[in-house]
Amino acid sequence: GATLWEPFPLDKPVYPERGAPAIAGGKLFAASIEGVCVCLDALRGTRLWETRLPTPVQVYGAVLPVTIGGGTSGDATIVPDLLLVPATLGEDKSHGAVYVLSAETGQVLREVPLGWRTDTAPTFGEGLAFAHDDAGYLTAFDPATGSIAWQMKADAGFDAAPVYADGGVFSACASGTLYRRNAGTGAIDWQLPVTNAPLSGTPACDGVSVYVPADDGLHVVSASTGRSVRRFGGKRPVRSSPVVTAGGTVFWGATDGAIYGVRGNSPAEPLYDPRTPGAQFTAPIAVADGAIFAAASNGVLFALSHVAPEK
């Protein structure tokens, strides 16, 4: 919990609900809400480069470092080739794009236009990037060239980022519908009206199940068949993206101020509740080194012992 380096000053904040920094290859990447992208040495906090995107631009989604030859840079040791930055453009915020930057120098290489504004992070798999927009389109494009591979429309807009897993792209709509599309062609593998409540958080997938945050709890859906498996109800909406550990435990934060965990077919258990009035967990949580890390809306960062619920 010790501070490694002094805070790095940004022109504006990173968007608190959906924006997030990313670490890859020993570098930390972030974009402010006004479109200033920075790359820092992750251990020292020193600036390696800084780039301002063409204005007027607003960045609401998280940035994504990718390696063209090796998929997403989820491993912090993998050196990325590109940085994908979702942006909303124009004075009226009526359209969007994904900017592709060199992860080494910060140079803007290309702008990939989207049909409408975007406020969620892209994802990447099989050499393609995938992005949502508020008009309900999922766009697949090659970040190395900027060429559009395909574009398909859902029944509503998106407040959740797309998720790539095992050759499919999962899209959670504000209408309550969950889609799985073939990553290569965009064809619908299945679609499921999960709930009448909005799906406002980004799902997680472990290859077997999709864990879908919703305003009426956390839903579990079969990744292969699109069938509902179960729902963990809650008193308040779930907006935080869940995390699935290698041991099969699922953790998520909720707007009731508690962090929950479940393993297998066990009931969901509140693992931690700070009992702080007004505190909520809406940002994604992280699990590493035997601990759960969660940032609450009251500005407190929690590090909690990772103890899986009993079977």
Side-chain angles (χ1 to χ4, degrees):
T3 301
L4 287 179
W5 33 271
E6 293 299 314
F8 184 87
L10 298 173
D11 65 322
K12 297 290 182 180
V14 174
Y15 191 65
E17 292 188 4
R18 299 175 188 143
I23 293 179
K27 299 175 181 179
L28 185 147
F29 303 90
S32 74
I33 195 171
E34 294 296 334
V36 175
C37 305
V38 296
C39 174
L40 311 178
D41 183 300
L43 290 180
R44 299 172 180 81
T46 54
R47 183 179 64 181
L48 301 178
W49 54 257
E50 182 173 318
T51 299
R52 178 178 289 275
L53 299 179
T55 53
V57 169
Q58 294 79 39
V59 178
Y60 300 114
V63 299
L64 180 69
V66 300
T67 55
I68 299 302
T72 58
S73 300
D75 186 338
T77 64
I78 297 177
V79 178
D81 301 307
L82 304 173
L83 182 70
L84 308 185
V85 184
T88 292
L89 314 179
E91 294 289 352
D92 58 356
K93 302 180 182 179
S94 63
H95 55 289
V98 177
Y99 284 93
V100 182
L101 280 63
S102 165
E104 179 66 27
T105 66
Q107 178 186 0
V108 177
L109 302 177
R110 59 194 58 89
E111 173 188 328
V112 181
L114 302 177
W116 197 247
R117 57 179 176 262
T118 182
D119 54 12
T120 59
T123 190
F124 184 79
E126 298 186 17
L128 293 176
F130 307 91
H132 282 160
D133 66 40
D134 283 0
Y137 284 95
L138 171 63
T139 300
F141 64 93
D142 183 348
T145 64
S147 61
I148 304 294
W150 51 261
Q151 191 174 59
M152 300 294 177
K153 194 176 190 308
D155 63 355
F158 299 105
D159 291 319
V163 175
Y164 170 83
D166 297 329
V169 183
F170 299 93
S171 297
C173 291
S175 64
T177 301
L178 178 68
Y179 292 82
R180 175 187 164 119
R181 293 185 181 274
N182 181 283
T185 65
I188 294 178
D189 293 327
W190 52 256
Q191 67 184 80
L192 174 71
V194 176
T195 175
N196 292 326
L199 305 179
S200 300
T202 299
C205 181
D206 61 3
V208 176
S209 300
V210 187
Y211 303 89
V212 187
D215 280 11
D216 61 352
L218 184 79
H219 294 259
V220 184
V221 177
S222 167
S224 60
T225 66
R227 294 181 179 178
S228 292
V229 176
R230 65 186 303 187
R231 177 178 74 92
F232 300 104
K235 299 177 181 178
R236 299 285 301 276
V238 180
R239 305 281 171 77
S240 172
S241 180
V243 172
V244 188
T245 69
T249 301
V250 184
F251 298 104
W252 70 93
T255 55
D256 62 4
I259 294 175
Y260 296 86
V262 66
R263 182 171 59 188
N265 293 319
S266 303
E269 297 183 14
L271 301 182
Y272 185 75
D273 186 349
R275 303 289 182 184
T276 304
Q280 301 179 355
F281 292 103
T282 57
I285 62 175
V287 178
D289 298 330
I292 302 169
F293 299 93
S297 59
N298 62 353
V300 177
L301 176 64
F302 294 89
L304 312 174
S305 296
H306 174 184
V307 179
E310 295 295 331
K311 290 185 178 179

